[in-house]
Amino acid sequence: MASSLTTASTGTPRYQKTFLGHPRGLTTLFFTEMWERFSYYGMRALLVYYLVSGGADAAVGSQGGGLAMRAATATAIYSVYVSMVYLMAMPGGWFGDRVWGARKTVTIAGFVIMAGHVSLALPGSAMFFVGLALVAVGSGLLKANISTMVGHLYDGPEDPRRDGGFTLFYVGINLGAFVAPLLIGTIGKEYNWHLGFALAAVGMGLGLAVFLTFAKSLNPKSSEVPNPLSSDERKAIITKVALVVALVAVFYGIVVALGLYTLNWALVPLTLAGLLIPIAVLARIKRDKDLSAGEQSKMNGYIWFFVAAAIFWMIYDQGGSTLSLFADDKTADTVFGLGFSATWYQSLNPLFVMALAPVFAWLWLWLARKNQEPNTIVKFAMGLVLVGASFFVFIVPMNMSGDGTLVSPMWLVSIYMIQTIGELCLSPVGLSVTTKMAPRKYASQMMGVWFLAVTAGDCTTGLLSIAGVDLNGTGIIAMQATLAVAAGFAIYMYRKKVQALMGTVH
């Protein structure tokens, strides 16, 4: 009798069967991630609008029934939420490596995410924040492990199909992100918020169904726990976690009992944690005496890239908050007489990524053949200057709308396109340089460190909002734009010093 992991006709293990030259498991992971991103970006397209709906900062004539918060509070919540998703990627990878294995971790993550979207679909602010927490935790667990399983499908880093497989996987991410704001965003924002959140839960449910149904196409290695906890380690961790949870519960219980609790009691600690944890992680790696002199030098160079990335994401991720509020309130919602929802702007980035990524891949190869391809440092500088330039462009429609005039949608289309070009200069290169500069001891952890740059950038935005800074004002927009452009020029001016720190990495 054939094993459940083999096909009866050939006896070939199912995870070794191919489709169009790639392992069949890639199709399973492609659709799992596509539906998960569909649920995530659909909910994210609604988030800020739902928070301000019914309040003074909501657009005139918009659907009511939201949480009626101020724009500054909504931006802070959005920023903290996105930062927590990326912060949770580090413990998510730890669970995959030491507790459950990648496959089981992704399965659990799928159920947690789906439960989060169901909670968001229920009325009431309490269920809303429970839902946000669940989606953040689940997304962090899934993000760190599903990419690992893609890698398991191939015969090591030298497999010539590997890069193509990750490229196809990346298409699945952007396909889900493109469709979600058009469908979930429109239904949720224009008709019923909770129906939109429920559709996000359905999306994750479909992704989970695909994953569980076709799990046999995955490499059995994905079910293994690479470095399982010992009994003593497990007991020590459970004790520490229980102690921390108990202390937090007692502290917040006292705050609530004294009648002092406000939303900032949750936002401020999370924001500060999102800023301090990346610093602590980098400092811990830097202090490790096991690192060689060359590895220490590379870490010094990597800090330049980390800070640059944090500044980039600080501006870039406002596409779902600051730019979204401007789109709803001060931008025309018709093109050639056809109306559309403001959530549709959230589909521009994945659309531009799918359209422009092949162009950039060809461009870098063409320049490389002519020995003119910009190095990593120059590409980072280009990304920073472009994201700063996008906010300088943003100032123009902001001033035009000052008298109540609704500006052309093409302003936002241009801004999102400039930011996407900047992303294509910085993000793929950042992932690559992280793997190249990682100390051998921290090879698997450094990808989580890269995600912490997103956490730091978004938490900076959140902290500004909590402090009462109006991120929708031209002054702060100009200041952020100037910071990004200045950082781009700084890293370019010091490129020889950074390159010297990088050693043989180019």
Side-chain angles (χ1 to χ4, degrees):
M1 187 176 204
S3 165
S4 62
L5 293 177
T6 65
T7 55
S9 58
T10 65
T12 302
R14 295 193 181 192
Y15 73 89
Q16 291 183 358
K17 300 290 285 183
T18 61
F19 177 70
L20 298 178
H22 285 278
R24 288 187 177 179
L26 181 63
T27 305
T28 301
L29 297 177
F30 176 98
F31 284 106
T32 301
E33 180 71 347
M34 184 193 76
W35 284 115
E36 188 274 331
R37 292 290 88 182
F38 173 84
S39 71
Y40 174 78
Y41 281 101
M43 181 278 286
R44 210 173 87 159
L46 295 177
L47 184 54
V48 168
Y49 294 134
Y50 177 69
L51 290 170
V52 302
S53 178
D57 291 322
V60 176
S62 63
Q63 177 196 169
L67 298 186
M69 293 183 177
R70 293 173 53 249
T73 305
T75 299
I77 292 172
Y78 173 88
S79 300
V80 170
Y81 164 70
V82 174
S83 71
M84 290 301 108
V85 169
Y86 286 93
L87 181 63
M88 293 305 297
M90 282 202 78
W94 181 86
F95 271 97
D97 286 342
R98 309 216 61 190
V99 183
W100 293 323
R103 188 184 300 186
K104 186 175 181 180
T105 304
V106 168
T107 302
I108 293 170
F111 281 109
V112 171
I113 293 169
M114 191 162 59
H117 289 305
V118 170
S119 297
L120 291 170
L122 299 175
S125 59
M127 293 307 298
F128 174 81
F129 287 108
V130 168
L132 276 190
L134 289 173
V135 175
V137 170
S139 296
L141 288 171
L142 187 141
K143 177 180 282 292
N145 289 282
I146 195 165
S147 296
T148 300
M149 287 194 291
V150 175
H152 288 164
L153 296 172
Y154 298 94
D155 298 326
E158 304 306 318
D159 191 324
R161 303 170 300 167
R162 186 183 178 93
D163 286 351
F166 273 98
T167 299
L168 291 171
F169 182 70
Y170 194 56
V171 170
I173 292 173
N174 284 283
L175 189 59
F178 169 70
V179 175
L182 304 178
L183 183 59
I184 294 176
T186 302
I187 291 174
K189 184 177 184 300
E190 307 302 331
Y191 297 99
N192 186 284
W193 299 112
H194 300 292
L195 179 58
F197 291 132
L199 282 175
V202 171
M204 186 65 253
L206 290 171
L208 192 56
V210 168
F211 185 76
L212 295 175
T213 302
F214 299 101
K216 292 177 181 178
S217 65
L218 304 175
N219 192 324
K221 185 178 179 181
S222 297
S223 297
E224 298 174 1
V225 182
N227 183 23
L229 290 171
S230 67
S231 177
D232 290 340
E233 286 177 320
R234 188 181 296 270
K235 290 178 182 177
I237 289 171
I238 291 174
T239 301
K240 290 177 182 178
V241 170
L243 180 61
V244 170
V245 170
L247 289 173
V248 170
V250 170
F251 175 79
Y252 278 97
I254 293 172
V255 171
V256 172
L258 294 174
L260 300 174
Y261 183 81
T262 64
L263 188 58
N264 280 350
W265 279 96
L267 292 178
V268 172
L270 288 173
T271 305
L272 292 176
L275 289 171
L276 295 176
I277 289 174
I279 295 172
V281 170
L282 287 171
R284 179 174 62 85
I285 296 175
K286 277 287 299 163
R287 289 199 308 268
D288 193 330
K289 295 181 180 179
D290 290 340
L291 268 60
S292 66
E295 289 175 327
Q296 284 282 2
S297 178
K298 288 178 182 177
M299 282 304 302
N300 288 334
Y302 186 75
I303 290 172
W304 281 79
F305 295 113
F306 185 91
V307 174
I311 294 171
F312 178 89
W313 296 117
M314 177 186 72
I315 294 177
Y316 181 90
D317 275 347
Q318 289 182 58
S321 54
T322 306
L323 289 176
S324 288
L325 292 171
F326 185 86
D328 194 35
D329 191 32
K330 298 179 179 179
T331 308
D333 59 359
T334 58
V335 175
F336 302 121
L338 299 175
F340 61 93
S341 173
T343 60
W344 288 24
Y345 289 104
Q346 300 301 301
S347 291
L348 289 173
N349 171 253
L351 176 64
F352 287 140
V353 167
M354 289 187 289
L356 296 176
V359 176
F360 271 75
W362 171 84
L363 177 64
W364 299 140
L365 286 173
W366 181 72
L367 289 173
R369 285 195 294 267
K370 300 178 69 175
N371 201 30
Q372 294 178 356
E373 182 186 7
N375 64 21
T376 297
I377 303 167
V378 175
K379 288 177 181 176
F380 256 74
M382 291 166 61
L384 282 167
V385 170
L386 283 165
V387 81
S390 75
F391 262 28
F392 278 127
V393 173
F394 187 26
I395 293 172
V396 178
M398 290 183 78
N399 287 329
M400 291 170 63
S401 65
D403 60 357
T405 301
L406 295 179
V407 303
S408 167
M410 294 309 297
W411 283 107
L412 287 179
V413 172
S414 300
I415 292 166
Y416 281 111
M417 184 174 69
I418 295 169
Q419 291 187 350
T420 302
I421 294 172
E423 177 192 6
L424 291 171
C425 289
L426 182 141
S427 185
V429 176
L431 291 169
S432 177
V433 79
T434 297
T435 59
K436 292 176 180 177
M437 296 178 70
R440 183 182 298 273
K441 182 176 179 180
Y442 296 98
S444 61
Q445 296 181 42
M446 282 298 288
M447 198 56 68
V449 174
W450 169 251
F451 287 136
L452 288 180
V454 185
T455 298
D458 284 321
C459 281
T460 301
T461 304
L463 197 61
L464 289 171
S465 297
I466 293 168
V469 176
D470 181 12
L471 290 174
N472 300 288
T474 55
I476 189 65
I477 293 297
M479 187 180 299
Q480 293 178 81
T482 302
L483 173 63
V485 172
F489 277 108
I491 197 171
Y492 180 78
M493 294 299 293
Y494 285 88
R495 63 190 183 280
K496 292 183 179 179
K497 177 180 179 180
V498 177
Q499 184 60 68
L501 292 171
M502 293 169 67
T504 57
V505 175
H506 295 284

